Amino acid sequence: MFGRFKKSKNQESSLSQQQLSNALAQVSLPHWPTPVPPEWITVDGQHAQLTVPFAADNSILEPLKQHPELGQLSWSLQRNIAKLPNSQPELPMTFGNVIVVSSGKGGVGKSSVSVQLALALHQLGANVGILDADVYGPSLPTMLGGQEQKLEINAQQKMIPHQRHGIWVSSLGYLTDTKDAAIWRGPMASAALQQLFRDTKWPRLDYLIVDMPPGTGDIQLTFAQKLPITGAVIVTTPQTVALADAEKGITMFRKVGVPITGLIENMSYYQCSQCGHRDAIFGADGGANVAQREQVPLLGQWPLDARIRAGLDEGKPLVAEQPEHELSVMMKNSAYQLAVELYRQAQTRQPATR
């Protein structure tokens, strides 16, 4: 059944419901594995609306517009982003869909991936927050800017997150001096992280990206076991030493019941800005091979590129400053795949709630 199929008195639809059903059975949306679910479609006269339960932009409409019959309708997009089951079902889903971005080791660009994914999801129409869970070395204030602006504490002792480039941000880096070192043992760091998570007064969010500290130690286990996580994204480079640690991270999350939403192979290659030659500095397709071996979706292979680095160093991420840049489009595609995969995996486990 369609969400609504209505023939207006002033303008009747050029397609019957049967014609629509037959046409939709022939069309698939980008990265959606089956034909378009009819319940996502509303038709009123010559206007048709696609309502999706995940973040997406208008490019998702292209297969519908290009179909010879469906293209006769005027299409628009509506997002009704679903709140999905998480790893702690007894806890209220206060924070939207919580996505942890993790790596087995440092130096693979996990924080830069977290920032670009959060910004990309925002550009895909979602209300997004990002939590800097790397309490030993918080880097989001540098990457998103506003280091000099400290977090405010309200009368209820809740931290008010900053809004940077359209997303909400909470980080210990906005509470301490940039040169201060966090000298904490594991339990203290774990407690600080939980407090930062729970005592930030987040607005209503569709997605909360958590930039995790590297490794598979006490902090990661505490977060995975005590806080509601919808899915995890693993970041690795193609390098052999990074791949082994990425697989450890996948194993850890699976042991504590956190679904692996996907893997991003960062620094996949270097492309010369002058001649266009590509050089696989850290090896070729290592992350892609791990994703295939572990049966984890590959969300993207991101290059090592000075433009991405420079934007983050200046607190002006490329995705935010130049959303139409080819690198930004690539990262938005990964964010879209993440949103789709998060919803698709939830459907295979149990029904989503809204």
Side-chain angles (χ1 to χ4, degrees), residues 4 26 118 144 171-172 183 203 280 301 326:
R4 186 176 71 230
Q26 304 167 11
L144 289 165
S171 170
L172 280 180
I183 306 174
Q301 292 175 289
E326 60 179 351

Side-chain angles (χ1 to χ4, degrees), residues 215-230:
T216 55
D218 183 68
I219 296 178
Q220 292 83 359
L221 281 171
T222 299
F223 199 101
Q225 291 175 331
K226 294 188 176 182
L227 299 175
I229 301 174
T230 311

Side-chain angles (χ1 to χ4, degrees), residues 7-12:
K7 289 189 175 183
S8 168
K9 292 181 180 179
N10 299 324
Q11 186 183 35
E12 289 199 350

Side-chain angles (χ1 to χ4, degrees), residues 55 87 174 226 259 319 341:
S87 60
Y174 288 126
K226 294 188 176 182
V319 170
E341 192 63 31

Side-chain angles (χ1 to χ4, degrees), residues 312-333:
L312 293 170
D313 282 353
E314 297 169 5
K316 300 177 180 179
L318 185 69
V319 170
E321 295 294 308
Q322 301 181 52
E324 302 306 318
H325 192 284
E326 60 179 351
L327 291 171
S328 299
V329 172
M330 175 203 67
M331 292 184 281
K332 281 193 286 187
N333 187 52

Side-chain angles (χ1 to χ4, degrees), residues 92-108:
M93 291 191 285
T94 308
F95 313 101
N97 300 304
V98 178
I99 305 166
V100 296
V101 180
S102 180
S103 64
K105 67 185 278 83
V108 300

Side-chain angles (χ1 to χ4, degrees), residues 7 66 232 243 245 277:
K7 289 189 175 183
Q66 293 173 6
L243 298 172
D245 289 327
H277 173 71

